[in-house]
Amino acid sequence: MNDQRRTAAALERWLGEDFAPDPQPAIDRALQQVATTNQRHRWWPLVPTGMRGHARGLLYGAVAVAAAIALLAFGVNGPLTSDTRPDEPAAAPGPKVIVLSPDGTGDAVSLSAAVDRARDGDIIRLRPGTYIDSVLVDKDITIEGAGPRGGVVVVASETLPASSGELADGAQLSQAPYAFAFVESAATIRGLTIQAPEVSRAVLVIGGEPTLDDLSIRLEGSFEGWEGGLSDPHTAIHFAAGAGGELRDSDIESGSVHLSDGASPLVANNDITCHMLVSGPGTNPAIESNTIGGDDCQWSVKVAFGAAPRIEGNDISIADAEALIVTERTYTFIGSIEAQDAASAPSSEGPTIIANRVHSSGTGVVLEGDAPVTLLDNDIESNRIGVTIRGGQPIVRDNDVRGNIVGVTVWSTSPSLTANRIEGNRTGLQMDAAANPDMIDNRICGNEDNLKIAGASIGSVDDTGCLAMPST
């Protein structure tokens, strides 16, 4: 019985370490260990010399039987279960975590080298510090900071990488510095600060559906000798070429966010210090719950060239400039869905903009172009001019326009103004002589001048201080 225990213990020890994929070396080592142990045992000398060969044969036979039982129980590649068969391949390994250090002493010498090494599903984790690189990502991986995002900084390299793709405006990736370029990737990047020179695109997204989460992005400085050549050179993030994905919970400290060429990501809960440009047919992003605008930019949001975003719940402002511009196509600005009815449903061709606050700007909203525009259920307040309408026949409905120097201006066009509340402005409604708006059920009240036409104050006031106008 003791011999069997020693044999079983030796087999268990060797099989647990070295059994698969070839069991024979493990069995041979187990036999040798058991035989050696038995030779040292105190009762081995008591076995007659002539009987020792026979005893050893019996022992080897016992080991062989135990090995056969082990083969049946465990198989060559591990224990057989109801879900495992000897002819099935081994399960694929799980995601690998590649840890980097700024001094190159981690699992890879650089971020680009780590991306080259990574497979889909792997995680690249950056320890605090500064990494100088231009990283092309065409895999579905995760790149994340190990700590607060302010402590993990990726700076665009001065060495321009080889071209790996083309943007809608014909610019190659090698035409400008970048920190990250995502090409047909569903990667996730989070918890980083990204820095690039002022004339660059800090992050490029060309196709794919990446997730950009919890980032801080800034443009500062320049690279000596680089001449540029981009159509939008001061860009923090550019989504192009039909890209989807998400940009969320991030601070865009400088530079613009540009969505073009059919890109339709979700842009949500960001603080965008400068401006957004949404352009091109098929560019239909969802822009939700962001704070957009600053003091030294051209505009806050511009929608142009056939784009049709959904813009909902944003806080939009810009000092001394036009905050929200819609131009060169049919666009639809709508407020809460509950406020609409079938007769006033917005055009399916234009953007949907819901419950935005547009304030503290030179002009809050500018509607221009020949196609109809719908502006519905927005709060437009404390601007020099709340809404300017110049061209086309837009529908302006159910908005609160308050506390502006001029609430609404209409120039040489015939908009529909319905159920708006234009109150507490210096001038409520101002028009030129060629304007011919259709006015229905508006409250134009409590303004110093409720209505001016060609500079002259006009219109009677009822006993509540509101402009007396017909309801139909």
Side-chain angles (χ1 to χ4, degrees):
M1 183 64 68
N2 289 333
D3 291 341
Q4 292 174 352
R5 288 198 184 100
R6 278 191 293 277
T7 301
L11 275 173
E12 182 179 358
R13 185 160 53 255
W14 288 109
L15 294 177
E17 296 175 1
D18 301 304
F19 187 68
D22 182 4
Q24 191 58 48
I27 293 172
D28 290 343
R29 285 194 293 274
L31 289 170
Q32 181 63 39
Q33 178 170 332
V34 171
T36 301
T37 302
N38 285 339
Q39 288 174 0
R40 291 198 304 264
H41 203 277
R42 65 178 183 271
W43 54 263
W44 185 255
L46 300 177
V47 178
T49 303
M51 297 291 292
R52 289 183 181 180
H54 181 63
R56 188 176 287 110
L58 290 175
L59 179 59
Y60 282 15
V63 171
V65 170
I69 293 171
L71 283 171
L72 290 173
F74 291 93
V76 173
N77 292 316
L80 299 180
T81 68
S82 60
D83 300 322
T84 309
R85 298 293 181 267
D87 57 347
E88 289 184 352
K96 177 173 57 178
V97 178
I98 302 171
V99 179
L100 300 187
S101 294
D103 60 4
T105 60
D107 297 330
V109 296
S110 68
L111 183 49
S112 286
V115 171
D116 290 342
R117 175 179 166 183
R119 300 168 299 183
D120 286 352
D122 286 351
I123 299 170
I124 298 174
R125 188 164 294 147
L126 279 64
R127 290 172 177 154
T130 299
Y131 301 78
I132 299 175
D133 210 335
S134 291
V135 186
L136 175 63
V137 181
D138 57 2
K139 302 173 182 178
D140 301 343
I141 59 176
T142 295
I143 301 173
E144 63 184 19
R149 72 183 183 193
V152 184
V153 183
V154 178
V155 179
S157 172
E158 292 192 38
T159 302
L160 299 184
S163 178
S164 300
E166 183 173 297
L167 300 177
D169 58 9
Q172 298 292 325
L173 288 180
S174 61
Q175 285 188 266
Y178 63 79
F180 287 95
F182 297 90
V183 179
E184 297 297 338
S185 168
T188 295
I189 178 173
R190 61 178 171 238
L192 305 175
T193 292
I194 301 172
Q195 180 179 318
E198 291 182 0
V199 182
S200 71
R201 290 167 170 146
V203 179
L204 287 165
V205 180
I206 304 173
E209 295 186 342
T211 297
L212 283 57
D213 180 24
D214 188 28
L215 304 175
S216 177
I217 301 178
R218 59 176 178 256
L219 304 181
E220 59 182 42
S222 62
F223 290 162
E224 184 177 353
W226 188 78
E227 297 180 356
L230 296 174
S231 62
D232 57 338
H234 303 280
T235 301
I237 302 177
H238 187 178
F239 285 81
E246 299 182 11
L247 168 63
R248 66 190 184 202
D249 299 318
S250 296
D251 290 337
I252 314 304
E253 298 179 17
S254 57
S256 67
V257 176
H258 188 182
L259 314 176
S260 72
D261 188 34
S264 299
L266 169 64
V267 180
N269 300 310
N270 302 286
D271 190 344
I272 301 172
T273 300
C274 200
H275 59 249
M276 293 190 67
L277 173 62
V278 186
S279 64
T283 303
N284 305 322
I287 303 170
E288 302 176 357
S289 303
N290 303 279
T291 299
I292 307 172
D295 294 338
D296 299 315
C297 299
Q298 296 172 298
W299 63 80
S300 294
V301 180
K302 178 183 279 189
V303 180
F305 306 117
R310 174 185 178 90
I311 303 178
E312 178 177 358
N314 300 279
D315 187 290
I316 302 171
S317 66
I318 186 168
D320 301 320
E322 296 172 337
L324 181 56
I325 306 169
V326 183
T327 184
E328 299 188 30
R329 169 102 187 226
T330 298
Y331 298 96
T332 304
F333 286 67
I334 71 170
S336 61
I337 299 300
E338 292 77 12
Q340 303 175 56
D341 55 36
S344 63
S347 167
S348 61
E349 296 180 358
T352 300
I353 301 186
I354 300 175
N356 298 278
R357 179 173 178 250
V358 186
H359 65 98
S360 308
S361 303
T363 300
V365 179
V366 177
L367 308 178
E368 61 185 11
D370 294 330
V373 177
T374 300
L375 177 67
L376 177 62
D377 196 24
N378 294 275
D379 291 329
I380 303 166
E381 60 187 19
S382 302
N383 307 283
R384 282 206 302 267
I385 300 174
V387 181
T388 289
I389 304 168
R390 42 186 192 232
Q393 295 180 321
I395 297 171
V396 180
R397 179 181 174 186
D398 201 29
N399 298 281
D400 284 311
V401 184
R402 305 174 188 272
N404 306 280
I405 295 176
V406 179
V408 179
T409 65
V410 182
W411 306 112
S412 303
T413 189
S414 303
S416 173
L417 304 180
T418 303
N420 299 284
R421 294 162 295 280
I422 305 173
E423 300 177 322
N425 307 282
R426 187 176 300 175
T427 299
L429 175 62
Q430 180 171 298
M431 303 184 290
D432 65 6
N436 186 29
D438 184 13
M439 307 281 289
I440 302 174
D441 292 334
N442 297 282
R443 278 185 54 83
I444 305 178
C445 304
N447 307 285
E448 292 183 19
D449 289 298
N450 282 324
L451 175 63
K452 281 186 176 182
I453 298 179
S457 182
I458 238 175
S460 60
V461 176
D462 64 18
D463 55 7
T464 67
C466 294
L467 184 66
M469 302 189 70
S471 61
T472 58

